[in-house]
Amino acid sequence: MRALNYNAAIDRIVQFIREKTSSGVVIGISGGVDSATTAYLAVKALGKDKVLGLIMPYYENQDVEDAKLVAKSLGIEYKIINIRSIIDAFRDSLNIDLDKKSLGNVMARTRMIILYAHANSLGRIVLGTSNKSEFLTGYFTKWGDGASDYAPLINLYKTEVWEIAKRIGVPERIVKKKPSAGLWEGQTDEEELGISYKLLDEILWRLVDLKMSKEEIANELGIPVERVEHVEKLVKGSEHKRRLPQGPSFEDLISGP
């Protein structure tokens, strides 16, 4: 994996947040390491009075307690907004059968709406929590948890986020817990992705950053080339999530000034 200067990276993220806003930020705090790390860095950059944490569960589980731990340890203002009644109203209004994944997408987009409603009312910005591993593999909901004004962790791989979390004081139980998007009971990131973050990041760094061939990566890591092909498929299949909507070009149809 790449040798990142973590202390310098922390300083750069803090400076980035300071440069992008002075009015304050709103962050969705899930109880996971990404949102916790983002919240800790935001407080480091702006102070606790300019950070609002929103905890938006559908299920009442340990994630809520972990999210509260983050907010309380930082001393920031936070709100718990249970989205179950909102989601149920959506389902009733749509009058269609939503499978597990579709329902999860509705949850993620509902949280985005709530985040922006608060940010707009307070004159603040939404700080996203996505990391590079999720971004490259498309492991996020388009216009849901992938939507934000700025995303301080977007160029850090998941394994790098863990390292930064340890250095800035994120509670150990959050750093060590199994990553989950929390969209349904028992969900875990690595099970859905079909690969551990440790191996995923090693492959992504070589595939995307170093532009190595699949065969070179497989040989260097001592893994079957099929593992690399699996990651390549995740990256290529989610390309549409990483760009704004596109349409046909009309440049060749324009004649004269």
Side-chain angles (χ1 to χ4, degrees):
M1 195 57 193
R2 62 185 184 180
L4 183 67
N5 183 329
Y6 288 105
N7 291 332
I10 291 167
D11 290 342
R12 184 162 295 178
I13 295 170
V14 167
Q15 186 58 35
F16 174 87
I17 295 171
R18 284 180 184 152
E19 289 174 354
K20 297 306 179 184
T21 183
S22 58
S23 58
V25 298
V26 180
I27 303 170
I29 301 179
S30 66
V33 70
D34 297 314
S35 64
T37 302
T38 302
Y40 269 71
L41 290 167
V43 169
K44 196 175 181 68
L46 304 171
K48 64 181 182 181
D49 293 336
K50 291 188 175 181
V51 179
L52 171 63
L54 298 185
I55 302 170
M56 299 170 281
Y58 182 80
Y59 304 101
E60 292 292 339
N61 54 24
Q62 185 58 45
D63 290 340
V64 176
E65 294 306 312
D66 289 341
K68 286 164 62 178
L69 172 63
V70 171
K72 290 179 178 179
S73 65
L74 288 171
I76 62 173
E77 180 187 357
Y78 71 94
K79 295 182 180 180
I80 300 177
I81 302 171
N82 192 299
I83 64 171
R84 181 177 288 273
S85 61
I86 301 172
I87 301 304
D88 289 347
F90 260 123
R91 295 170 83 171
D92 292 342
S93 298
L94 292 171
N95 196 29
I96 57 175
D97 290 328
L98 294 173
D99 60 26
K100 188 166 59 174
K101 186 175 181 179
S102 298
L103 183 61
N105 288 337
V106 172
M107 290 182 197
R109 291 177 181 132
T110 297
R111 291 179 178 126
M112 180 272 294
I113 292 169
I114 294 170
L115 284 167
Y116 271 97
H118 281 78
N120 292 160
S121 69
L122 295 169
R124 297 185 178 187
I125 65 168
V126 173
L127 218 52
T129 64
S130 294
N131 60 60
K132 190 170 184 175
S133 307
E134 295 171 346
F135 186 66
L136 289 176
T137 57
Y139 193 65
F140 60 91
T141 296
K142 196 172 185 179
W143 317 127
D145 53 321
S148 64
D149 294 305
Y150 296 102
L153 308 182
I154 199 73
N155 291 317
L156 291 170
Y157 288 106
K158 182 75 169 192
T159 47
E160 294 171 335
V161 173
W162 275 321
E163 285 300 320
I164 285 178
K166 294 174 190 174
R167 292 166 190 257
I168 61 176
V170 173
E172 186 177 19
R173 84 182 197 203
I174 291 175
V175 176
K176 289 188 172 181
K177 73 188 290 188
K178 282 187 176 182
S180 171
L183 298 179
W184 54 82
E185 290 286 3
Q187 179 187 21
T188 66
D189 293 3
E190 292 178 329
E191 185 176 337
E192 272 205 281
L193 287 165
I195 190 170
S196 72
Y197 271 117
K198 187 176 186 303
L199 180 56
L200 174 65
D201 288 356
E202 293 286 2
I203 295 173
L204 283 172
W205 175 53
R206 289 166 174 81
L207 187 68
V208 178
D209 295 73
L210 301 184
K211 311 296 184 188
M212 291 172 61
S213 71
K214 290 178 286 187
E215 292 72 24
E216 288 175 317
I217 296 170
N219 288 335
E220 189 167 299
L221 295 177
I223 58 175
V225 72
E226 287 79 13
R227 293 270 73 196
V228 185
E229 290 173 342
H230 171 69
V231 173
E232 182 184 52
K233 185 178 179 181
L234 291 174
V235 174
K236 288 184 175 179
S238 60
E239 185 180 345
H240 69 98
K241 289 187 169 187
R242 293 184 291 276
R243 63 174 184 238
L244 292 172
Q246 296 182 329
S249 171
F250 303 111
E251 292 302 315
D252 60 320
L253 303 181
I254 300 172
S255 55

